[in-house]
Amino acid sequence: MEKLFSKELHVTVKCRDSEERKANIRVTIEQSPSPLHKKDLLVRLTDNGDPFFLFNLTISEEDFQTLKAQQGLLIDFASFPQKFIDLLNLCYSEQESDSPRFLLYLSCQSPVLEGSATFTVVETNAFKHLNHLSLRLAHGSDSEVKEYLAVCLSSLKAEKQTLYTKFKKTEEDLSRQLSYAQQ
Amino acid sequence: MEKLFSKELHVTVKCRDSEERKANIRVTIEQSPSPLHKKDLLVRLTDNGDPFFLFNLTISEEDFQTLKAQQGLLIDFASFPQKFIDLLNLCYSEQESDSPRFLLYLSCQSPVLEGSATFTVVETNAFKHLNHLSLRLAHGSDSEVKEYLAVCLSSLKAEKQTLYTKFKKTEEDLSRQLSYAQQ
């Protein structure tokens, strides 16, 4: 899969019967790289603070046609990833502002985050809330969460190893300089 | 759970139709701490190199009576954990030797590690192989592996944070000493 986008975004999370809460959710968009196969788009939501938080949606060209008809989109499947990324970047650029115009919501029908949830990009102006895009994502199965956590663990191990190497090199360099300066 | 034992041990792993291979397997023994409840014993096998490797066995006092009868054990449930740990420590102390007397095996009926597997402590003398203990462990379900990986991830994050703090402190200390020495 080719990674097109991966950023931590402020998302308002709302479950049934629960208070809204703000969360930093990583939104990742990937696309199958081969031009021979249909370029399915994978949208993934994860939360660095909650290892079991995993929502996925795969959008094939057929799925996109349904989405396009339902939500009155004016673009084609080939332009969709970039337009979606543009919207997310708008949210990202405004998320530290006091009154961001573009907001992200994740709403779930059940009392806890499970089953499926709707991820929405909303523009708020003085007049109304404008729904730019709504996607229905499914919570990862135990098997999918397991695979996802194994990947997290593997990259964290690599990061820790890099940090350790940097630590040892810095310690060595500074100790050498120190012993030279003390001579 | 109270951790009674946790060490990486050399284990010979054998699946059906596959070559034997040597692996470093972490064997963990835990016991429920409350004296009011029955002190179930949890035996867990994990592999640092394979995030999906997880075998579990819970031994209740009733399970132990069956085990005792089947394998002709002469001890009672209360002494069992320590005797088992003594055996594992014997394996541990001999595992770097050229001809260890005590060996550990994990054998699996299926071609890959899944379903259940038998963990055996074997003593080899000039005359024969003596089977000291055989335990039948079950491979962790997706849900169990998911929980296990979340715990691994959390402790690895903490380790990385500790390493980062140590790195920054060492860098700061050495830089201060260096600037003092250079004055």
Side-chain angles (χ1 to χ4, degrees):
Chain A
M1 298 295 272
E2 186 194 357
K3 199 169 279 183
L4 305 180
F5 180 88
S6 181
K7 276 182 185 160
E8 244 181 24
L9 299 168
H10 293 193
V11 176
T12 304
V13 179
K14 176 84 177 85
C15 291
R16 186 164 62 85
D17 309 331
S18 308
E19 286 293 301
E20 281 187 359
R21 64 180 179 92
K22 297 271 182 190
N24 286 318
I25 303 295
R26 180 165 294 276
V27 180
T28 306
I29 304 177
E30 291 176 313
Q31 193 166 39
S32 52
S34 161
L36 293 171
H37 292 83
K38 283 179 295 178
K39 289 201 161 199
D40 284 0
L41 205 66
L42 175 69
V43 183
R44 163 167 284 195
L45 267 59
T46 54
D47 179 350
N48 193 34
D50 177 357
F52 303 137
F53 185 109
L54 175 68
F55 284 91
N56 288 318
L57 172 67
T58 305
I59 308 174
S60 68
E61 182 146 11
E62 291 77 56
D63 299 333
F64 177 76
Q65 295 311 328
T66 313
L67 197 72
K68 182 174 170 171
Q70 280 173 347
Q71 304 194 16
L73 307 179
L74 302 174
I75 47 168
D76 59 13
F77 186 54
S79 334
F80 176 66
Q82 194 52 53
K83 291 290 171 195
F84 184 24
I85 290 169
D86 291 347
L87 276 175
L88 294 175
N89 274 327
L90 264 174
C91 299
Y92 184 73
S93 65
E94 294 193 342
Q95 66 184 7
E96 302 302 340
S97 115
D98 287 338
S99 55
R101 201 159 52 95
F102 280 86
L103 289 170
L104 296 168
Y105 291 89
L106 184 70
S107 54
C108 187
Q109 287 303 308
S110 67
V112 291
L113 278 174
E114 58 178 21
S116 66
T118 305
F119 183 56
T120 316
V121 186
V122 176
E123 182 186 354
T124 304
N125 63 23
F127 181 59
K128 70 169 284 186
H129 295 297
L130 294 163
N131 199 331
H132 282 256
L133 187 67
S134 274
L135 298 175
R136 196 163 181 76
L137 287 87
H139 194 280
S141 66
D142 284 344
S143 168
E144 286 165 338
V145 173
K146 183 184 86 169
E147 298 282 343
Y148 155 67
L149 288 177
V151 173
C152 292
L153 200 63
S154 158
S155 48
L156 191 61
K157 271 183 190 175
E159 284 171 25
K160 192 186 157 197
Q161 187 53 47
T162 306
L163 179 63
Y164 182 77
T165 309
K166 192 175 157 193
F167 170 34
K168 284 295 155 195
K169 191 180 175 314
T170 306
E171 190 178 32
E172 207 180 282
D173 286 353
L174 286 171
S175 298
R176 196 175 42 237
Q177 287 178 51
L178 181 62
S179 91
Y180 183 77
Q182 281 171 338
Q183 272 169 13
Chain B
M1 299 295 274
E2 185 194 358
K3 199 169 278 183
L4 305 181
F5 180 88
S6 181
K7 274 181 187 162
E8 242 180 26
L9 299 168
H10 293 194
V11 176
T12 304
V13 179
K14 176 85 178 83
C15 290
R16 186 166 62 86
D17 309 330
S18 307
E19 285 294 301
E20 280 187 359
R21 64 180 180 91
K22 297 273 181 187
N24 286 319
I25 304 294
R26 179 164 294 276
V27 180
T28 306
I29 303 177
E30 291 177 312
Q31 193 166 40
S32 51
S34 161
L36 293 169
H37 292 83
K38 283 179 296 178
K39 289 200 161 198
D40 284 359
L41 206 66
L42 176 69
V43 182
R44 163 168 285 196
L45 268 59
T46 53
D47 180 350
N48 194 33
D50 177 357
F52 303 135
F53 185 109
L54 174 69
F55 283 91
N56 288 317
L57 172 68
T58 305
I59 307 175
S60 68
E61 182 146 12
E62 292 77 55
D63 299 334
F64 176 76
Q65 296 312 327
T66 313
L67 196 72
K68 183 175 170 171
Q70 280 172 346
Q71 304 194 17
L73 307 179
L74 302 172
I75 47 167
D76 59 13
F77 186 54
S79 334
F80 176 65
Q82 194 51 54
K83 291 291 170 194
F84 184 24
I85 290 168
D86 291 347
L87 276 175
L88 294 175
N89 274 327
L90 266 174
C91 299
Y92 184 73
S93 65
E94 294 192 344
Q95 66 185 7
E96 303 302 339
S97 114
D98 287 338
S99 55
R101 198 159 54 95
F102 280 85
L103 289 169
L104 295 168
Y105 291 89
L106 184 70
S107 53
C108 187
Q109 287 302 308
S110 65
V112 291
L113 277 174
E114 59 179 19
S116 66
T118 305
F119 182 57
T120 316
V121 186
V122 176
E123 181 187 353
T124 304
N125 63 22
F127 181 60
K128 70 169 286 187
H129 296 298
L130 294 162
N131 199 331
H132 281 255
L133 187 67
S134 275
L135 297 175
R136 196 162 179 77
L137 286 87
H139 194 280
S141 65
D142 284 344
S143 168
E144 286 166 337
V145 173
K146 182 184 87 169
E147 298 282 343
Y148 155 66
L149 288 177
V151 173
C152 292
L153 199 62
S154 157
S155 47
L156 191 61
K157 272 184 190 175
E159 284 170 26
K160 191 187 158 198
Q161 186 54 48
T162 306
L163 179 63
Y164 182 77
T165 309
K166 194 176 157 192
F167 170 35
K168 284 295 154 194
K169 192 178 175 314
T170 306
E171 190 178 33
E172 207 179 282
D173 285 354
L174 286 171
S175 299
R176 197 175 41 238
Q177 287 178 50
L178 181 62
S179 88
Y180 183 77
Q182 281 171 339
Q183 274 169 14

